[in-house]
Amino acid sequence: MSDNGWVASDATKYKFHDQRPNWISLAAVAVAVDDIKSFNDCYFEIVKKKSEEYGIKTEHPIIKDEDITRWVTDWEREDARQDIVTELLSIDTIREVQFVETSLDPQWVTLFDENEDDKKRMESQKFMNDFLEKYYNVVAIWEYLRKKKTRPQHLPYEDWPIHKNVLTDDFGGQISEAWLDVGKIADDIRVIPQGDKTYPLLSLADLTMDMVKQQVEEWDEQEIYEFLKEITPEESAYVDSKAIDHGSDLEKLVPHTTESIRTILHYPSPVVHIETGNSMNAKKAKSLDIFEHACKFAQENDGCVKFFNENHDRDFVTNEDYLITLDSQISSLADYEELNDRKSVTVMNRSEAMAFFGNRLSDTDE
């Protein structure tokens, strides 16, 4: 991965519950850094220190909010969460924190208007729950990439280059103008399944959104903006915020075609595919050390980890990739190694995979 500037995002859904039953707000944050390697080094140093301080135990030196919840004592958790995120946001190479939020009043939203036969109208809350939520993490990146000279005068535009390399967790949904804009503006787009467990910058975006959701009492765009400003050192990063809830900006978030976004084209190799088989489900697999080892291997080799979907993945495997079966037998999955040339993925059973990661990761664990 290039050491040049990158921008990464994460999103969350907020339910208003009693105030407005069945209403939701979608929010996302994008964090831009000048130098990804420098950021990663600082991230690992901070996480190691804070994990020791708060007793957080993980096999892989990247943390999620659930790790804080699992390991930190009840009375320390809120302070620990803010302490960790605040220190991460003070890393010098961070240059911008872009927040976006969408809350829609009752209205009709028109989807798929590219083709009259596909066009449909939908109530706004159903649109947000069934469509926009699937790809809202891209909205923060879209807003960051498309901005012009919108920063205050004391922060000149030339001092804040737009970083056009994009990292994001995997997502779904249909194609919108916002996604097409991201594709046209970005230099490199990397979609990372299990991204917030694999890449430090995606982990920070995830931690930031989880903390906002848990600690902002009055959920609206201005309150969240003030909270982010408070925990982000002004001399380190510029915080910007925008509500996208009407007009042409909102229209660009609405899918104009029924065609699905093909994020698989943006998975970085090596891809570590995990086939759970009949022996377990993905939730159990994520609790095992082998999953942590796979994530660490992917992070160190600029790749990603995903659960194998044979129908979707079989045409896209390459000879740089790995396919691990957690069933005791490899069975027919060996075909992907033995009967391919260009796409001859390395197939391993659970024992072979543990030995492989043990050899490849032993030096970095010392």
Side-chain angles (χ1 to χ4, degrees):
M1 180 181 289
S2 166
D3 291 345
N4 296 330
W6 288 80
V7 56
S9 68
D10 190 63
T12 192
K13 175 170 70 174
Y14 178 83
K15 297 179 181 180
F16 288 100
H17 298 297
D18 293 341
Q19 307 100 308
R20 285 177 277 180
N22 301 319
W23 279 38
I24 66 166
S25 166
L26 296 174
V29 68
V31 182
V33 298
D34 289 337
D35 186 318
I36 194 74
K37 183 180 184 304
S38 175
F39 172 83
N40 289 351
D41 291 343
C42 292
Y43 174 98
F44 289 131
E45 182 179 337
I46 291 170
V47 166
K48 180 180 179 181
K49 178 181 68 175
K50 294 300 180 183
S51 294
E52 292 173 354
E53 180 179 344
Y54 293 110
I56 300 171
K57 299 182 176 85
T58 61
E59 289 293 319
H60 180 36
I62 289 179
I63 61 172
K64 292 171 59 70
D65 187 77
E66 63 190 39
D67 296 314
I68 299 173
T69 300
R70 180 178 296 115
W71 292 105
V72 180
T73 59
D74 298 339
W75 51 90
E76 288 184 297
R77 190 177 305 142
E78 185 173 327
D79 290 341
R81 182 178 288 114
Q82 184 154 335
D83 179 32
I84 292 169
V85 176
T86 300
E87 187 150 352
L88 289 173
L89 286 172
S90 70
I91 294 174
D92 287 343
T93 191
I94 296 176
R95 283 295 164 260
E96 185 152 359
V97 177
Q98 174 67 56
F99 174 79
V100 293
E101 187 267 345
T102 297
S103 300
L104 297 183
D105 293 329
Q107 60 185 280
W108 290 105
V109 178
T110 302
L111 292 79
F112 312 140
D113 58 4
E114 185 176 84
N115 187 323
E116 190 63 34
D117 292 337
D118 297 325
K119 185 185 294 188
K120 66 169 61 178
R121 296 177 75 211
M122 185 176 295
E123 194 274 328
S124 57
Q125 293 303 307
K126 184 172 176 58
F127 161 67
M128 292 179 69
N129 277 289
D130 294 355
F131 288 88
L132 189 56
E133 181 187 1
K134 294 179 181 178
Y135 53 88
Y136 198 78
N137 54 327
V138 175
V139 177
I141 290 174
W142 173 64
E143 178 61 26
Y144 172 76
L145 288 176
R146 74 193 186 111
K147 287 192 306 186
K148 304 298 182 183
K149 297 184 179 181
T150 59
R151 299 169 180 84
Q153 291 184 355
H154 70 283
L155 297 173
Y157 178 75
E158 56 267 24
D159 292 341
W160 298 81
I162 294 177
H163 301 317
K164 296 184 178 180
N165 298 314
V166 169
L167 277 175
T168 181
D169 276 317
D170 204 0
F171 60 96
Q174 284 75 35
I175 296 172
S176 66
E177 289 295 333
W179 170 240
L180 296 181
D181 285 348
V182 170
K184 292 171 184 175
I185 298 172
D187 290 335
D188 189 358
I189 297 176
R190 300 194 183 187
V191 177
I192 315 293
Q194 320 299 327
D196 53 12
K197 195 62 181 172
T198 314
Y199 283 69
L201 194 55
L202 285 169
S203 164
L204 175 55
D206 171 72
L207 289 168
T208 301
M209 286 312 304
D210 280 332
M211 189 175 70
V212 165
K213 189 173 181 180
Q214 294 170 41
Q215 297 195 16
V216 174
E217 294 183 4
E218 297 294 330
W219 185 271
D220 64 52
E221 181 260 339
Q222 187 60 32
E223 288 288 331
I224 299 170
Y225 169 66
E226 295 295 338
F227 177 77
L228 288 173
K229 278 188 64 177
E230 182 179 339
I231 65 171
T232 305
E234 288 188 7
E235 66 274 12
S236 171
Y238 172 60
V239 178
D240 193 19
S241 177
K242 182 170 183 178
I244 302 178
D245 53 18
H246 68 281
S248 60
D249 285 350
L250 177 61
E251 290 175 5
K252 287 179 178 289
L253 307 187
V254 179
H256 60 273
T257 173
T258 57
E259 293 183 17
S260 297
I261 297 170
R262 294 179 298 161
T263 58
I264 196 169
L265 299 178
H266 306 285
Y267 294 167
S269 286
V271 180
V272 180
H273 298 272
I274 297 178
E275 169 57 62
T276 57
N278 297 320
S279 61
M280 68 183 72
N281 56 30
K283 184 176 181 179
K284 179 179 179 181
K286 287 182 178 182
S287 73
L288 301 174
D289 287 349
I290 192 170
F291 178 76
E292 299 272 355
H293 298 333
C295 288
K296 187 173 183 180
F297 175 80
Q299 187 268 320
E300 292 179 354
N301 292 276
D302 296 334
C304 64
V305 177
K306 75 177 300 292
F307 289 96
F308 188 58
N309 182 321
E310 190 164 9
N311 288 336
H312 293 152
D313 297 336
R314 60 191 175 197
D315 292 327
F316 294 94
V317 295
T318 75
N319 57 15
E320 297 179 19
D321 297 341
Y322 301 87
L323 175 53
I324 299 169
T325 174
L326 299 185
D327 271 334
S328 57
Q329 300 296 321
I330 292 180
S331 66
S332 64
L333 293 180
D335 293 346
Y336 289 102
E337 180 172 6
E338 297 170 357
L339 301 180
N340 274 327
D341 296 318
R342 179 180 57 83
K343 300 187 294 183
S344 184
V345 60
T346 300
V347 180
M348 297 181 282
N349 63 26
R350 55 168 70 184
S351 299
E352 292 168 337
M354 288 296 284
F356 173 83
F357 291 133
N359 292 330
R360 295 296 184 98
L361 300 175
S362 57
D363 290 341
T364 60
D365 285 339
E366 293 179 354

